[in-house]
Amino acid sequence: LFNPSHAEAKVDRRSNSESRKELPFHVVVGRVFSFWKKAAPIIVHYKFATLWMNQVKHFDRSRRDDIYDTLHRKYAPIAKIVILDLKGLFVKIGQVMSSRPDFIPGVYIDH
């Protein structure tokens, strides 16, 4: 039979911060800095291309798609390297994103 007192004895009563090892502050800051150092140029390039296409040049849909495809082919391998270098949560986010072809371009999913 089920004895509740035995089940309670096996419950780990430590808080989350006690049960997992926390990274030192300088490591966390280093990882965040490393991410933004690699991701910021990609984000800026996409934002600039969007602004340029919308404000300066008014391209038709096929020309816009070609420009975005070029950016995707250029940055998908870099995004993969960034995700794999930073490990942990970044890999998990990459896995989730790769399961969303309605949200992420196919070039990124293929990498």
Side-chain angles (χ1 to χ4, degrees):
L1 290 178
F2 176 72
N3 187 344
S5 62
H6 290 285
E8 287 179 19
K10 294 181 181 180
V11 173
D12 186 4
R13 302 209 183 271
R14 293 180 291 181
S15 69
N16 276 344
S17 63
E18 292 173 345
S19 63
R20 63 182 163 91
K21 184 178 178 184
E22 292 189 20
L23 295 173
F25 179 74
H26 71 280
V27 173
V28 173
V29 170
R31 287 171 52 90
V32 169
F33 178 75
S34 178
F35 169 78
W36 283 110
K37 180 177 144 187
K38 296 171 183 175
I42 297 170
I43 294 167
V44 168
H45 198 171
Y46 273 97
K47 291 292 185 182
F48 177 77
T50 302
L51 178 69
W52 180 67
M53 287 186 286
N54 291 336
Q55 302 298 324
V56 179
K57 303 281 185 182
H58 297 285
F59 293 120
D60 63 355
R61 182 71 173 176
S62 65
R63 179 67 175 128
R64 287 173 183 261
D65 289 345
D66 290 342
I67 291 169
Y68 281 123
D69 285 341
T70 301
L71 291 173
H72 298 335
R73 284 192 307 276
K74 178 178 181 176
Y75 291 120
I78 296 170
K80 178 183 177 183
I81 291 169
V82 170
I83 288 170
L84 294 177
D85 283 349
L86 294 174
K87 302 175 185 162
L89 180 61
F90 292 94
V91 173
K92 186 53 66 180
I93 292 170
Q95 290 170 339
V96 170
M97 289 172 35
S98 71
S99 70
R100 296 288 311 268
D102 60 321
F103 182 67
I104 301 296
V107 177
Y108 283 88
I109 293 171
D110 293 342
H111 277 84

